[in-house]
Amino acid sequence: MKLSHTESTPATAAVDLLVLGVPSDGIAEALEAALGAFGTQLAEAATAEGFKGKVGTTLVTRTFNLIPARRVCVVGLGNTRSVDGIRRAAGAGASVARAAGDQRVAYALGALSADEENALVEGIEAGTYRFDRYKPEAGRKAIATEVQILGSTANDAGLGTAVAEGQSFARDLVNEQPDVLYPETLADFAQALASDNITVEVWEGDKLVEEKMHGMLAVGRGSNRGPRFIHLTYTPAGTPRRRRRG
């Protein structure tokens, strides 16, 4: 997924899906300001459909060539703008895009702080996620290849990317089949995470006996696959800060 910031506006973004955030206390004003005459029509539709702008709720419609975007997903930001609201709004929009297989998606959620942009990246990953590796290729919906952020300067979203990738990795492990994921293979997955900052130690067999981990050994006797104890240690780069005592 390619993420970029662009000077395009909601009214000029030529994408498959435009995700447009609106506050619950100013839906019509926000839509008209962003999309002009089409926004006025969209506001009337929102009223007719009972859309209240609650966080993460959506209203999706085709644009009938009235703006360059093919479809628009109006997503609620709630009464008070918040980092979590941005995360949930982005996730809702990403889920709509993934369900339709949209390839080009633009997010117009206002000017984003660094924390909000990290939350947006997390939300997009969470909303896009599907555990479909065992589905036939024809049954899978494509992931967006181009994601635009409108009306916001670029921030460092490295933290959001790391958190999002970690969450998806964890969800893959939880969703995996038991004949694929068992103690030995889970240890293999963990060892693959080893790096300059992460060390991985795996105990099994005699080491578990030596450490008197009787509960784990007892549970493990119910399977022909022996138990593993996995210990990961993260060491940040740089010199550790001294703790201050109050």
Side-chain angles (χ1 to χ4, degrees), residues 137-158:
E137 194 68 34
R140 303 181 191 180
K141 293 292 186 179
I143 298 174
T145 57
E146 179 184 330
V147 175
Q148 299 178 18
I149 300 178
L150 311 182
S152 180
T153 56
N155 294 292
D156 181 3

Side-chain angles (χ1 to χ4, degrees), residues 5 112-119 121 153-161:
H5 293 72
L112 302 171
S113 67
D115 286 343
E116 288 176 337
E117 185 156 334
N118 278 299
V121 171
T153 56
N155 294 292
D156 181 3
L159 177 60
T161 300

Side-chain angles (χ1 to χ4, degrees), residues 2-236:
K2 179 184 177 183
L3 189 149
S4 63
H5 293 72
T6 174
E7 294 181 358
S8 297
T9 65
T12 62
V15 291
D16 297 316
L17 180 70
L18 169 67
V19 180
L20 179 59
V22 296
S24 58
D25 58 353
I27 296 172
E29 294 84 350
L31 291 174
E32 290 168 4
L35 301 175
F38 177 63
T40 301
Q41 297 177 23
L42 198 52
E44 294 173 356
T47 300
E49 294 294 328
F51 177 76
K52 302 297 185 182
K54 293 182 179 180
V55 176
T57 58
T58 60
L59 174 68
V60 183
T61 182
R62 299 187 69 86
T63 63
F64 304 101
N65 297 320
L66 295 175
I67 59 174
R70 187 169 60 87
R71 293 192 306 153
V72 60
C73 170
V74 182
V75 61
L77 297 176
N79 287 319
T80 305
R81 185 183 178 92
S82 68
V83 171
D84 185 60
I86 295 294
R87 183 183 293 107
R88 292 169 62 185
S95 185
V96 169
R98 181 70 191 272
D102 292 323
Q103 294 294 285
R104 298 171 303 150
V105 183
Y107 290 82
L109 304 181
L112 302 171
S113 67
D115 286 343
E116 288 176 337
E117 185 156 334
N118 278 299
L120 179 140
V121 171
E122 292 175 34
I124 291 174
E125 178 71 19
T128 299
Y129 179 85
R130 302 287 189 280
F131 187 75
D132 57 5
R133 66 181 54 175
Y134 298 114
K135 286 187 177 182
E137 194 68 34
R140 303 181 191 180
K141 293 292 186 179
I143 298 174
T145 57
E146 179 184 330
V147 175
Q148 299 178 18
I149 300 178
L150 311 182
S152 180
T153 56
N155 294 292
D156 181 3
L159 177 60
T161 300
V163 170
E165 291 176 351
Q167 289 174 337
S168 292
F169 176 70
R171 294 173 79 177
D172 281 346
L173 293 180
V174 171
N175 288 317
E176 191 53 270
Q177 298 180 159
D179 63 334
V180 174
L181 187 67
Y182 44 89
E184 182 181 353
T185 54
L186 180 59
D188 291 339
F189 279 118
Q191 288 173 326
L193 297 175
S195 67
D196 292 340
N197 302 111
I198 299 175
T199 58
V200 182
E201 186 177 3
V202 178
W203 295 355
E204 60 180 299
D206 292 341
K207 181 64 174 176
L208 296 177
V209 175
E210 178 186 337
E211 297 295 333
K212 300 181 180 181
M213 304 190 74
H214 303 304
M216 178 173 285
L217 289 165
V219 172
R221 291 192 189 102
S223 171
N224 63 351
R225 302 185 189 277
R228 301 290 191 277
F229 179 81
I230 304 167
H231 184 202
L232 290 86
T233 303
Y234 173 70
T235 305

